[in-house]
């Protein structure tokens, strides 16, 4: 559903110097890229295989349509079952988990910031918005509520500008992904909006969620169902979390024990979701990417995998592991030369940081960019078909 009473913000015009600075190393499709053979070193070689990976347990849901999924124990990091865990797909707003992992601890939640036009200048048209307005002063806590509850790209851009700008934030997010050993991830923008070459995987998104849930603020924000948000003057409006397993919206039953974490949708990416739930003292993580049908399928398949994990996970033998961050003593799963070649094809972090907005496409649109002689690009946009459950292009 399109953010209520929020209009789309016009896409920023690309400056000539940014166009000429573009790298041509990005993949031709932002929708998907195959997992590299070298990902066998990340989390275990079984996670790089095709087909469902499970050992010692039965009863997996039979009607899973997702292009990739993963079930893991949050505490131990054991991967209990997976399907194409390293398949590189467009992440949509689930990438905001990495944004939070990177930026959340930089500002005290009580810090106040008065938004300027410049803070919002680059918010892409068609974005999901929480409704931030120039001239209004927000606390950092309110901005993060806008990110987690409404998946507001406007809130992301304000926080990114507070962090020193979009380019700096993208570079830091890519560095954070490297530290977390999320080597399937290539960051082009901090908000998850569709961009050429912006990719992640079920494995990497689960790493982002697990790392984030160690932080009390991250955990609190992603578990918040509703909040009062400034609307100018003394007025406020109530915003509700778009995670349907948390709120029970749109006919989805709330999931017992759910503690977050992040959902996403674009026409290009389809639906993505990483959820975490605790039962009987055990916390499980499930990531589901791009189920075959729209609407509630991503939540239904997540719930089914969580049910399986709680019912059968204790008998499952690990088929892999969620690696630990390098900065926290994790053993390095250094990419092989083949892996480094695959990552170079996606675009180096430095190249992405040099101009993330230059690959901007309308989220969910079938926009294409063509390189012309002399380094001049022509950007052409088409309207996207209506989303599975809304008329908007960008979804959470």
């Amino acid at each position: 559903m399109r953010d209520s009473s929020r209009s789309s913000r016009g896409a920023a015009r690309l400056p000539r110097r940014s166009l000429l600075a573009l790298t041509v190393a990005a993949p031709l499709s932002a929708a998907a890229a195959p997992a590299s053979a070298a990902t066998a070193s990340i989390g275990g070689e079984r996670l790089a295989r095709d087909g469902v990976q499970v050992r010692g347990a039965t009863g997996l849901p039979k009607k899973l349509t997702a292009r990739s999924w993963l079930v893991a124990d949050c505490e131990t990091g054991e991967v209990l079952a997976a399907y194409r865990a390293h398949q590189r797909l467009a992440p949509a707003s689930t990438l905001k988990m990495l944004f939070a992992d990177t930026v959340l601890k930089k500002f005290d939640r009580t810090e106040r910031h008065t938004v300027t036009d410049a803070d919002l200048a680059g918010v892409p048209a068609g974005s999901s918005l929480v409704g931030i307005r120039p001239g209004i002063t927000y606390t950092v806590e309110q901005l993060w509520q806008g990110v987690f509850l409404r998946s507001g790209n406007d809130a992301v851009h304000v926080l990114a500008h507070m962090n020193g700008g979009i380019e700096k934030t993208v570079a830091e997010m890519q560095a954070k992904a490297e530290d977390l050993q999320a080597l399937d991830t290539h960051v082009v923008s901090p908000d998850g909006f569709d961009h050429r070459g912006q990719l992640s995987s079920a494995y990497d998104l689960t790493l982002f969620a697990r790392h984030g849930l160690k932080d009390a603020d991250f955990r609190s924000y992603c578990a918040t169902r509703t909040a009062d948000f400034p609307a100018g003057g003394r007025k406020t409006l109530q915003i509700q979390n778009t995670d349907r397993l948390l709120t029970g919206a749109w006919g989805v039953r709330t999931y017992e024990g759910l503690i977050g974490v992040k959902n996403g949708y674009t026409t290009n990416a389809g639906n993505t979701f990483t959820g975490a739930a605790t039962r009987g003292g055990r916390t499980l993580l499930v990531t589901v990417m791009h189920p075959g049908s729209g609407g509630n399928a991503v939540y239904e398949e997540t719930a089914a995998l969580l049910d399986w994990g709680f019912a059968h996970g204790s008998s499952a033998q690990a088929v892999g592991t969620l690696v630990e961050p390098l900065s926290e003593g994790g053993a390095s799963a250094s990419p092989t030369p083949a892996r480094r070649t695959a990552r170079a094809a996606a675009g180096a972090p430095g190249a992405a940081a040099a101009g993330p907005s230059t690959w901007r496409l309308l989220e969910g649109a079938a926009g294409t960019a063509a390189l012309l002689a002399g380094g001049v690009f022509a950007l052409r946009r088409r309207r996207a078909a209506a989303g599975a459950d809304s008329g908007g292009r960008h979804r959470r």
Side-chain angles (χ1 to χ4, degrees):
M1 181 179 68
R2 204 172 190 57
D3 288 315
S4 60
S5 69
R6 306 294 170 214
S7 59
S8 298
R9 197 175 300 278
R13 185 177 299 276
L14 302 180
R16 174 178 288 271
R17 64 177 178 273
S18 294
L19 293 175
L20 296 177
L22 283 174
T23 176
V24 295
L28 295 179
S29 172
S36 164
T39 55
S41 63
I42 310 296
E45 61 88 16
R46 287 193 62 158
L47 299 184
R49 297 181 188 175
D50 200 3
V52 173
Q53 303 301 313
V54 64
R55 288 196 306 168
T58 59
L60 277 169
K62 297 184 182 299
K63 296 183 179 180
L64 298 175
T65 65
R67 295 177 67 182
S68 69
W69 53 262
L70 184 145
V71 184
D73 186 294
C74 189
E75 182 177 357
T76 67
E78 291 183 338
V79 177
L80 306 179
Y83 175 65
R84 296 179 177 176
H86 287 294
Q87 180 72 39
R88 302 176 76 214
L89 299 164
S93 288
T94 48
L95 194 66
K96 289 181 172 77
M97 293 188 293
L98 177 61
F99 174 69
D101 288 343
T102 305
V103 178
L104 185 60
K105 302 310 294 181
K106 293 193 174 189
F107 306 102
D108 188 274
R109 62 193 300 159
T110 62
E111 184 175 336
R112 299 171 68 82
H113 177 78
T114 302
V115 173
T116 67
D117 289 325
D119 292 335
L120 301 172
V123 178
S127 288
S128 56
L129 306 172
V130 68
I132 289 175
R133 292 160 53 187
I136 296 179
T137 299
Y138 302 85
T139 66
V140 166
E141 178 179 20
Q142 289 164 340
L143 293 173
W144 281 113
Q145 287 171 341
V147 172
F148 277 91
L149 275 67
R150 298 303 303 172
S151 206
N153 285 3
D154 45 359
V156 170
H157 279 247
V158 171
L159 287 163
H161 279 282
M162 291 173 65
N163 187 51
I166 299 296
E167 296 175 5
K168 176 175 181 287
T169 301
V170 166
E172 290 179 353
M173 287 174 66
Q174 191 67 60
K176 187 67 173 181
E178 298 286 345
D179 177 61
L180 296 175
Q181 305 196 67
L183 301 186
D184 299 317
T185 297
H186 178 237
V187 183
V188 181
S189 72
D191 49 29
F193 196 84
D194 281 342
H195 295 260
R196 170 176 269 187
Q198 182 144 276
L199 299 166
S200 192
S201 67
Y203 183 85
D204 286 9
L205 293 178
T206 310
L207 286 180
F208 302 154
R210 186 183 186 220
H211 181 75
L213 288 171
K214 296 176 183 178
D215 180 82
D217 285 338
F218 183 108
R219 195 174 180 118
S220 173
Y221 288 135
C222 72
T224 300
R225 289 175 170 81
T226 62
D228 291 329
F229 195 78
R234 297 183 179 181
K235 297 180 180 179
T236 62
L237 58 89
Q238 187 180 81
I239 57 175
Q240 178 174 291
N241 202 311
T242 58
D243 177 352
R244 299 179 191 179
L245 285 183
L246 186 68
T247 64
W250 292 89
V252 176
R253 294 180 60 184
T254 56
Y255 193 84
E256 179 185 350
L258 194 83
I259 57 175
V261 277
K262 191 71 189 77
N263 56 324
Y265 172 80
T266 71
T267 306
N268 177 55
N271 289 282
T272 59
F273 183 62
T274 298
T278 300
R279 289 184 184 176
R282 187 182 197 189
T283 299
L284 297 180
L285 289 163
V286 168
T287 295
V288 170
M289 299 189 75
H290 303 213
S293 58
N296 291 332
V298 72
Y299 302 104
E300 293 165 351
E301 295 187 17
T302 297
L305 286 167
L306 284 169
D307 285 345
W308 174 84
F310 287 121
H312 301 281
S314 58
S315 61
Q317 301 174 43
V319 295
T321 186
L322 300 177
V323 294
E324 299 294 334
L326 297 175
S327 60
E328 297 178 14
S332 175
S334 300
T336 66
R339 175 63 171 164
R340 288 194 292 270
T341 299
R343 287 182 56 72
S357 64
T358 54
W359 285 119
R360 179 165 291 130
L361 306 177
L362 282 182
E363 189 151 10
T368 59
L371 177 62
L372 304 178
V376 179
F377 288 74
L379 185 65
R380 186 174 59 184
R381 303 182 302 174
R382 295 185 299 172
R383 283 190 175 275
D389 59 342
S390 92
R393 295 188 188 96
H394 175 61
R395 299 285 307 147
R396 290 154 288 281

